[in-house]
Amino acid sequence: MSATSPPPTASGASATPRGGALLITGATVLDGTGAAPRPADVTVAAGRIAAVAPPGTLAPGDGYDTLDATGLALAPGFIDPHSHADGSPLESEDDTSKILQGITTEIVGNCGQSPDPGPYGGFGALFERLDASGYVTHYCPLVGHGALYEAAMGGRPGPPDRDDARRMGALLDEAVEAGVFGMSSGLIYPPGLYTEPDDLVDLAGRLPEGRIYATHMRDEGRHLGRSVEEAVMLGARTGRRVQVSHLKAAGVPFWGGVDDALARLDRARAEGVDVNQDVYPYDASSTTLHAVLPPWFQEGDDALLRQRLADPRQIERARAEVEDPTDHGWENIVAGDGYDRIMVSSTRSHSHEGATLAQLAEKLDMAPFDVIVHLLRTEDLQVHMVDFSMDERDVETVLRAPRTSVCTDGLPIDLGGKPHPRLYGSFPRVLGRYVRERGVLDLATAVHKMTGLTAEVFGVPERGRIAPGLVADLVAFDPATVGDTATYQEPRRTPAGIRWVMQSGHVVVRDGRWLGTRRGARLTPA
């Protein structure tokens, strides 16, 4: 973490105003509510927005430094509702993948995965350790169902018994007391994939009113509708808010399925269920390679997975199921997309990155399924993939839906390799490709989906809008040039058009450059 003082801005205003006050002039303000853009001047004092007024009505005197934002759009700092940067504060390298996009706040702990509190002595001590390291972006943690399971079960595989369930409930209560915003599940991964819906209802029902249950659903392909029904059922039975994570129709045979999924979510809202969804603006997903294997193959810990990968009989059973397109009751990624649409994005040794399973099969002279087994064995399970599983029409359909927030679903930067470009480009991509180029959204609506809507849904305090009294987390961008530059082969490219980013009144990014001081904080629910 650097303690370097930020240099002056181009207009002459210091990144930390000398008198503690700043006048931002010339901007077109998008206030985060979805209201039409309007020209306005904004004053910032003591880290908060002091006033928003018509241009020229706020005098530059009275100790204000001036920041000229002529020609730029001024928005609330973007809020990412689905991130996997849980451990980023503990890294010696500043994780700038989000802040350079204009993201000032992240919801972490998604897909049932969050840090194990055991080594730290509990959730409170875990958060104290993170706080001591400092944050690049503001940090809003969820607790993962998988973390509760592992802590309660002590590594023992199988479904929890009554005592285990009690321990999981007590751990959830502890996490809530320590300040989590809610709980997440990852029902495509162990242990979520073999967890009964009633067990999830019991846990989510313990959350305080207003806290959220976010779910990576059980199946985003053939059984998308059934998965949506499970999420809706949990919200109806518990009365808790539900977030459907990265809504999609995954698998070529199932493209178009988002229409029915969104219609069911709309009906649920009309019936009084508090349910929303998010999406990342790409037609490819990304996860661990072993997610392509059948649920029974993944059950248990890594030691059991390694044993199965060494057992020829179990490998042949898995091969037969993975390459059979009929319904086995679980999301079969290979059957839905084929080996030629699955790209290796990172491995422990950084070999084979950027190649598809089909390409590697030809290169290594082995069957594509054997490539999966070979990679998982030789890389000690440390293999991630990008799966080109979606149709852009479906992405646009979900993006248009009124209760959709924009997310990155960005994996940790320490994986290396060729990560999904969503980690570096999601929010500028929406503004460039889906607002300016394709007209899927208007600018005010897009900004609302990146700010005010997400703050409302997750209970992010005092952020998400430009209004007097709220924290001065702001982003200024050029609507004519903003966009992503990251690609699948060169994903670590800085986006274009993000002129500067401010957190609590301090400029932390200027002209695509991180200024070196961690200004984020761990937030607690509103």
Side-chain angles (χ1 to χ4, degrees):
M1 175 169 49
S2 172
T4 305
S5 298
T9 63
S11 68
S14 63
T16 304
R18 294 185 300 274
L22 182 68
L23 172 61
I24 303 169
T25 63
T28 298
V29 170
L30 298 139
D31 66 9
T33 67
R38 69 187 192 278
D41 292 344
V42 176
T43 57
V44 173
R48 292 181 178 268
I49 298 165
V52 182
T57 58
L58 299 172
D62 303 323
Y64 283 100
D65 287 336
T66 301
L67 181 56
D68 184 2
T70 300
L72 302 180
L74 183 68
F78 302 147
I79 303 173
D80 184 358
H82 192 101
S83 165
H84 292 280
D86 302 70
S88 287
L90 302 178
E91 298 290 333
S92 58
E93 176 189 358
D94 292 333
D95 179 357
T96 62
S97 61
K98 312 295 175 48
I99 198 76
L100 293 177
Q101 296 183 53
I103 296 168
T104 54
T105 301
E106 297 180 71
I107 312 295
V108 299
N110 282 286
C111 294
Q113 302 162 6
S114 63
D116 179 2
Y120 302 92
F123 286 100
L126 165 64
F127 292 148
E128 287 177 5
R129 175 70 181 85
L130 290 163
D131 293 348
S133 297
Y135 303 92
V136 172
T137 57
H138 302 306
Y139 188 95
C140 300
L142 304 173
V143 62
H145 164 259
L148 299 174
Y149 176 97
E150 296 296 336
M153 300 283 286
R156 189 177 78 256
D161 61 25
R162 187 172 300 175
D163 289 339
D164 297 324
R166 277 198 291 266
R167 283 193 290 272
M168 290 176 72
L171 286 164
L172 176 59
D173 295 344
E174 179 191 332
V176 168
E177 180 66 23
V180 299
F181 283 66
M183 183 182 83
S184 74
S185 67
L187 304 184
I188 192 176
Y189 311 111
L193 61 81
Y194 44 81
T195 297
E196 295 296 327
D198 284 349
D199 294 335
L200 294 169
V201 167
D202 290 343
L203 275 173
R206 299 178 73 110
L207 291 169
E209 189 173 351
R211 305 289 173 94
I212 198 163
Y213 167 75
T215 181
H216 180 151
M217 297 186 296
R218 221 170 276 276
D219 191 325
E220 297 174 319
R222 186 190 304 270
H223 297 297
L224 175 59
R226 191 166 72 190
S227 298
V228 170
E229 290 291 347
E230 180 180 353
V232 168
M233 174 276 296
L234 185 142
R237 287 179 57 183
T238 64
R240 296 300 177 264
R241 180 172 295 158
V242 174
Q243 181 78 358
V244 173
S245 296
H246 43 59
L247 180 61
K248 64 175 76 73
V252 176
F254 314 115
W255 287 356
V258 298
D259 298 281
D260 287 342
L262 287 168
R264 179 63 188 101
L265 292 168
D266 285 341
R267 289 197 302 274
R269 284 185 278 267
E271 294 162 1
V273 180
D274 191 352
V275 59
N276 301 281
Q277 66 274 341
D278 51 58
V279 70
Y280 47 83
Y282 295 87
D283 60 4
S285 61
S286 181
T287 188
T288 56
L289 181 62
H290 59 69
V292 306
L293 298 170
W296 61 265
F297 203 103
Q298 300 181 59
E299 187 170 358
D301 59 13
D302 287 352
L304 285 172
L305 181 54
R306 292 186 187 97
Q307 289 176 20
R308 295 186 185 109
L309 287 166
D311 185 335
R313 287 180 301 176
Q314 296 196 68
I315 289 171
E316 289 310 309
R317 178 187 167 193
R319 183 200 308 271
E321 292 186 17
V322 163
E323 296 185 343
D324 181 357
T326 60
D327 185 8
H328 291 277
W330 49 276
E331 185 177 344
N332 188 338
I333 294 171
V334 169
D337 301 317
Y339 292 112
D340 60 335
R341 300 177 73 92
I342 298 173
M343 184 190 88
V344 174
S345 60
S346 71
T347 64
R348 189 179 64 166
S349 68
H350 300 300
S351 60
H352 308 305
E353 293 170 342
T356 68
L357 294 178
Q359 290 169 337
L360 289 175
E362 183 175 353
K363 176 183 177 181
L364 301 175
D365 192 24
M366 59 177 64
F369 186 82
D370 293 331
V371 171
I372 296 170
V373 175
H374 171 73
L375 289 176
L376 291 173
R377 282 176 176 170
T378 58
E379 301 292 340
D380 195 29
L381 311 182
Q382 304 304 305
V383 188
H384 282 76
M385 67 179 186
V386 167
D387 176 24
F388 294 87
S389 62
M390 292 173 278
D391 180 22
E392 188 172 31
R393 175 197 169 277
D394 286 348
V395 175
E396 293 181 352
T397 298
V398 178
L399 196 56
R400 284 191 191 96
R403 298 300 296 181
T404 298
S405 294
V406 174
C407 75
T408 68
D409 195 9
L411 297 179
I413 61 166
D414 60 359
L415 293 174
K418 297 181 184 293
H420 194 303
R422 66 192 183 189
L423 177 61
Y424 294 89
S426 289
F427 283 63
R429 180 176 175 85
V430 170
L431 297 171
R433 181 171 180 80
Y434 294 106
V435 173
R436 186 178 64 246
E437 296 174 7
R438 296 179 66 86
V440 174
L441 300 171
D442 64 75
L443 190 56
T445 299
V447 168
H448 173 59
K449 289 173 175 289
M450 298 175 172
T451 57
L453 175 60
T454 308
E456 169 206 334
V457 168
F458 283 85
V460 178
E462 301 183 300
R463 289 162 175 85
R465 293 180 294 121
I466 296 179
L470 299 187
V471 174
D473 287 352
L474 301 168
V475 55
F477 62 90
D478 181 355
T481 62
V482 67
D484 64 315
T485 65
T487 67
Y488 290 100
Q489 292 299 325
E490 296 186 52
R492 300 173 189 276
R493 290 178 170 176
T494 302
I498 302 293
R499 192 65 55 84
W500 54 259
V501 181
M502 179 181 291
Q503 285 175 299
S504 303
H506 299 273
V507 173
V508 294
V509 168
R510 183 164 53 88
D511 292 331
R513 187 165 59 91
W514 164 242
L515 299 185
T517 301
R518 297 189 184 188
R519 299 283 188 183
R522 179 171 58 87
L523 307 182
T524 53

